[in-house]
Amino acid sequence: MNNRRDFLKATGALALSSLLKPSALWADTLAKKPIGLQLYSVRDAMREDPQGTLQMVSSIGYRSLETANYADGKVYGMDPVFFKKYISDLGMRLRSAHLGGPRTYDPAKKEEALDWWKKAADDHKLMGAKYLIKPSMPIPTTLKELDIWCNYYNEVGEIAQKTGLKFGFHNHAREFEKIEGKVMMDYMIENTDPKLVCFELDVYWSQKGGQDPVAYINKYGKRFPVLHIKDEEEIGASGTMDFKSIFEAAYKNGMKEYFVEVERYNFEPVISVQKSYEFLNKASYVR
């Protein structure tokens, strides 16, 4: 498809569904695994036709969602109550959300930043979410700067906790670099309150950052209740990710949710997302 935007607008989710193998259209009656999807995986389609794309995601068989869009109290342009009902009618539920929040943090404007998170927590509580995840942050140059962020995350975590949610942070490869001799990710884990802050380990970026995800999960145990399951393209594409050992370690340490995320593609995004689902659905070690 050379012009996906015109295609989506003209034909909607039913035409998108025709791209899938016929068996995928009945996946919800065949699969029992709670395989989740980070909607950033279909980011262009979600921007152009969010409701039709959600129908397509449901038809593949995904049942848990993690969002990557929140602005002005709406998710993908939808009111929180409407969004919850819409995905519920499709047999899906929102479990987690990526929320950038204020891009930088100025302690002098702390109340303004925390007010943003209070509103976000309230809105995502309405949608049934369990986790609020900050997907990235500026990389500090000193541990003193990093301490400011750790304290900030504790305060955001307290807001989330009061709303019945859990706040967490998602890594990329750069969080495994050292600041003043300390691995940034280690320092964050060790200097945030485990009762208030969790971490969503992106297993692909962990490996890219030089950290074996299995060893890292075992090292920090229950600090990783949520995982991003990712590969170079669709899940299983590279053959370099030991997903069996990753899932075994994650289950042993109390993983609650996991989400497929596809950032690069060998195929149309919808096909890569489908192939990722099928890979995990067939894997005996995924439950």
Side-chain angles (χ1 to χ4, degrees):
M1 280 173 284
N2 295 322
N3 194 332
R4 186 189 299 118
R5 176 170 303 186
D6 290 344
F7 177 83
L8 282 170
K9 288 183 177 178
T11 59
L14 291 178
L16 267 176
S17 295
S18 70
L19 290 170
L20 308 178
K21 295 178 182 178
S23 62
L25 300 178
W26 294 278
D28 57 337
T29 64
L30 299 174
K32 303 296 183 183
K33 297 177 182 179
I35 301 172
L37 179 68
Q38 164 52 258
L39 289 172
Y40 185 74
S41 306
V42 285
R43 49 197 174 274
D44 291 342
M46 284 299 295
R47 182 170 55 252
E48 295 158 358
D49 181 11
Q51 293 183 29
T53 303
L54 288 167
Q55 292 177 40
M56 176 271 295
V57 167
S58 174
S59 76
I60 291 173
Y62 286 101
R63 289 294 165 261
S64 296
L65 299 176
E66 183 176 59
T67 54
N69 177 283
Y70 174 74
D72 301 321
K74 294 185 178 182
V75 177
Y76 299 103
M78 289 175 264
D79 173 86
V81 174
F82 176 87
F83 181 83
K84 180 180 181 180
K85 184 179 188 307
Y86 190 81
I87 63 173
S88 178
D89 289 346
L90 292 172
M92 299 186 294
R93 59 182 183 172
L94 178 67
R95 302 302 289 172
S96 181
H98 273 201
L99 300 170
R103 174 59 183 166
T104 59
Y105 174 56
D106 180 356
K109 299 180 180 179
K110 179 175 71 173
E111 292 307 316
E112 180 180 335
L114 295 180
D115 284 345
W116 189 95
W117 284 103
K118 288 174 185 177
K119 168 65 174 168
D122 288 340
D123 286 341
H124 285 80
K125 179 70 173 179
L126 286 174
M127 289 184 280
K130 298 298 182 183
Y131 298 92
L132 302 179
I133 305 293
K134 186 164 175 52
S136 63
M137 62 180 285
I139 300 299
T141 57
T142 68
L143 291 179
K144 183 177 181 180
E145 291 176 42
L146 187 53
D147 279 330
I148 292 173
W149 281 96
C150 290
N151 292 334
Y152 172 50
Y153 290 159
N154 282 336
E155 292 187 87
V156 177
E158 196 168 2
I159 289 170
Q161 185 183 69
K162 289 178 180 177
T163 317
L165 307 177
K166 188 77 172 183
F167 172 77
F169 180 81
H170 163 277
N171 67 278
H172 292 85
R174 60 186 185 173
E175 283 85 11
F176 295 100
E177 297 173 2
K178 290 185 177 181
I179 300 174
E180 296 182 12
K182 302 287 187 180
V183 174
M184 178 177 166
M185 188 72 168
D186 288 11
Y187 192 88
M188 292 172 67
I189 293 172
E190 294 164 5
N191 288 275
T192 51
D193 187 338
K195 295 179 182 178
L196 301 174
V197 180
C198 69
F199 290 82
E200 178 179 56
L201 185 69
D202 187 304
V203 298
Y204 171 80
W205 287 121
S206 170
Q207 187 160 297
K208 281 288 187 179
Q211 294 286 343
D212 173 14
V214 173
Y216 214 67
I217 291 168
N218 286 328
K219 179 179 180 179
Y220 288 110
K222 298 185 184 302
R223 295 305 297 272
F224 298 123
V226 189
L227 261 61
H228 264 192
I229 302 300
K230 186 187 299 179
D231 207 331
E232 191 70 34
E233 285 92 15
E234 64 273 357
I235 306 303
S238 72
T240 62
M241 299 297 298
D242 184 359
F243 289 115
K244 181 176 186 294
S245 296
I246 288 169
F247 271 92
E248 289 173 349
Y251 287 132
K252 182 181 72 173
N253 285 285
M255 177 179 66
K256 304 298 183 185
E257 305 285 344
Y258 62 91
F259 301 97
V260 166
E261 185 179 43
V262 185
E263 291 191 64
R264 305 181 184 92
Y265 313 96
N266 283 324
F267 308 92
E268 266 299 299
V270 58
I271 300 300
S272 287
V273 165
Q274 179 198 347
K275 287 181 177 294
S276 296
Y277 175 88
E278 291 174 344
F279 179 91
L280 295 177
N281 195 39
K282 292 174 183 177
S284 61
Y285 51 82
V286 177
R287 60 178 188 265

